Amino acid sequence: MGEVIVITSGKGGVGKTTTTANISTGLAALNYKVVMIDTDIGLRNLDVVMGLENRIVYDIVDVVQGNCRLKQALIKDKRFENLFLLPAAQTKDKNSVNTDQMKELVGNLKPEFDYIVIDCPAGIEQGFKNAIAAAERAIVVTNPEISAVRDADRIIGLLEAAELHDPMLIINRLRPAMVKKGDMMNIVDVEDILAIKILGVVPEDEAIVISTNRGEPAVLEQTSKAGQAYRNIVKRITGEDVALMNLEEADGLVSKLKKLMGIK
Amino acid sequence: MAMFDFISRMFGKESSSKNVATERLRLVLVHDRANVSPEMLNALKEDLIRVISEYMDIDQAGLEVALNQEDNTVALVANIPVLRMKRNYASNAS
């Protein structure tokens, strides 16, 4: 039976979809059988980030309403035979799926896949409730920025209330040079405030923009720092113990000193 | 200007912007986590005044009610200056 992971954040634009695409592709590259579900009905984007926008025939609402069979709506990835996408509907009402339907849908996918990765919409409304309804594990994506961390805190509270315990954090778009100058919160700051375990830290990287332009996830690019960060995250998801990447001066002087003195 | 920023930071005169951000975030999260709005805090204040006034005269203008955070706990801290005790509170209540 597969594991169901939801990628969520509260705030929009922090990199949920990019994270979903990279984690899923990375898992597929390790030969796991993976399906991504885009639950952002009305604002779908996982298809373009994956470069699969031209192959969509049916979507999640078609499946739920019985217009097609589940297998018909799954789009096979360009690069990996063992990676699939269930796209969101673009033109339908965003409330056309409910939590029970979502649970049933995921229940049907679980026996077939190793990982089911759910891309959650921004916000805390129905789309969010659907996305987390069937999840067994949650990954919260944030940026080292005041509004994103605040929203992440709210999401962590809502996940706890929904009994989705021990969510893990990805700090996305960290800029080591700004952290060094003391103009951006560092890993320790964010970890202290949110008080959850860190799954990974992804540095700001132009390779992400370029790979998204092309519809090819950066996790496959050996030279990209963000790609390396995503590969590490993928390994941690599969249970491997990988140390946090050295982002070169990613920490401020104070936290470096603290680390040296073993305070952490 | 950059040089001035650098110097003032070196001498600790000005907090770096990330310190400002973490401080603001800590404060705003106290309220978010406790799910308390300023309106609710005001209503609570008025109720406190009403109840305590049955037992003692208090300085209403000097009354302060706030949520404080220490480590991972939030405490409601009320500072209520007492002007005098009411001698006959029991007879008022009955």
Side-chain angles (χ1 to χ4, degrees):
Chain A
M1 283 296 241
E3 187 170 19
V4 189
I5 305 172
V6 63
I7 315 284
T8 181
S9 72
K11 188 176 177 299
V14 298
K16 279 181 300 296
T17 301
T18 306
T19 300
T20 305
N22 279 288
I23 286 178
S24 304
T25 305
L27 284 166
L30 296 178
N31 289 322
Y32 291 100
K33 199 172 176 199
V34 184
V35 60
M36 298 169 271
I37 307 179
D38 189 350
T39 58
D40 201 350
I41 294 171
L43 291 168
R44 81 169 167 220
N45 270 325
L46 190 51
D47 55 337
V48 285
V49 173
M50 292 297 297
L52 300 171
E53 66 274 18
N54 293 328
R55 304 183 180 197
I56 297 177
V57 182
Y58 297 111
D59 56 51
I60 189 169
V61 175
D62 289 319
V63 175
V64 165
Q65 293 179 344
N67 299 336
C68 69
R69 283 177 291 114
L70 176 55
K71 287 232 163 98
Q72 287 178 293
L74 295 182
I75 301 162
K76 190 183 281 179
D77 181 60
K78 290 195 267 191
R79 297 143 290 242
F80 296 99
E81 287 272 301
N82 49 333
L83 177 59
F84 294 83
L85 167 68
L86 178 58
Q90 181 68 336
T91 53
K92 286 153 192 150
D93 178 14
K94 65 175 183 174
N95 293 321
S96 41
V97 179
N98 64 40
T99 52
D100 287 337
Q101 291 166 326
M102 195 66 198
K103 282 180 193 163
E104 193 192 335
L105 176 72
V106 171
N108 290 333
L109 289 167
K110 271 182 81 165
E112 305 276 329
F113 292 90
D114 298 315
Y115 288 99
I116 296 148
V117 186
I118 302 172
D119 185 16
C120 178
I124 53 176
E125 293 89 24
Q126 188 61 39
F128 168 75
K129 288 173 191 154
N130 285 343
I132 68 164
E136 297 155 347
R137 203 166 154 184
I139 296 174
V140 177
V141 183
T142 194
N143 297 157
E145 183 227 320
I146 194 160
S147 50
V149 176
R150 182 194 197 177
D151 289 2
D153 188 80
R154 182 106 168 84
I155 287 297
I156 292 164
L158 291 171
L159 291 171
E160 278 293 329
E163 308 216 322
L164 198 48
H165 299 296
D166 301 324
M168 297 187 82
L169 187 71
I170 292 180
I171 303 175
N172 195 21
R173 297 218 182 112
L174 188 102
R175 295 166 70 169
M178 287 193 76
V179 171
K180 194 189 170 197
K181 278 200 293 179
D183 278 330
M184 182 176 263
M185 283 184 266
N186 62 38
I187 301 168
V188 178
D189 293 330
V190 179
E191 193 178 18
D192 276 355
I193 287 170
L194 294 179
I196 64 171
K197 222 179 145 208
I198 291 194
L199 179 64
V201 179
V202 183
E204 176 90 68
D205 188 348
E206 290 181 1
I208 292 287
V209 179
I210 297 165
S211 67
T212 307
N213 286 344
R214 298 206 168 108
E216 289 165 359
V219 70
L220 301 173
E221 279 177 40
Q222 298 304 315
T223 53
S224 151
K225 275 210 159 183
Q228 179 62 52
Y230 279 123
R231 284 194 294 281
N232 290 347
I233 288 169
V234 167
K235 284 183 192 158
R236 290 184 200 113
I237 289 174
T238 65
E240 209 178 305
D241 195 10
V242 189
L244 277 185
M245 199 168 117
N246 180 17
L247 293 171
E248 225 180 351
E249 299 151 341
D251 288 339
L253 184 63
V254 176
S255 54
K256 262 188 187 163
L257 281 175
K258 277 185 182 170
K259 270 185 187 164
L260 272 177
M261 294 185 290
I263 306 173
K264 209 206 152 193
Chain B
M1 193 60 198
M3 192 62 190
F4 177 75
D5 280 352
F6 178 72
I7 291 169
S8 54
R9 272 181 203 172
M10 275 200 48
F11 290 97
K13 277 179 187 154
E14 191 187 323
S15 191
S16 68
S17 71
K18 79 111 181 176
N19 288 340
V20 177
T22 42
E23 257 329 290
R24 289 175 58 217
L25 202 43
R26 272 181 211 287
L27 275 176
V28 82
L29 287 185
V30 170
H31 288 265
D32 284 2
R33 285 179 188 171
N35 203 11
V36 168
S37 64
E39 291 80 22
M40 188 198 140
L41 217 53
N42 265 333
L44 173 69
K45 220 185 217 178
E46 280 165 25
D47 281 353
L48 276 176
I49 291 172
R50 192 169 41 75
V51 172
I52 294 169
S53 296
E54 288 185 21
Y55 300 87
M56 52 196 88
D57 285 334
I58 55 174
D59 174 14
Q60 299 194 2
L63 182 140
E64 280 174 21
V65 177
L67 283 169
N68 287 354
Q69 190 187 29
E70 273 171 53
D71 296 324
N72 282 327
T73 58
V74 176
L76 177 71
V77 178
N79 189 354
I80 308 167
V82 178
L83 298 177
R84 74 181 74 81
M85 302 301 291
K86 285 192 175 174
R87 194 172 289 148
N88 55 344
Y89 81 94
S91 54
N92 276 356
S94 59

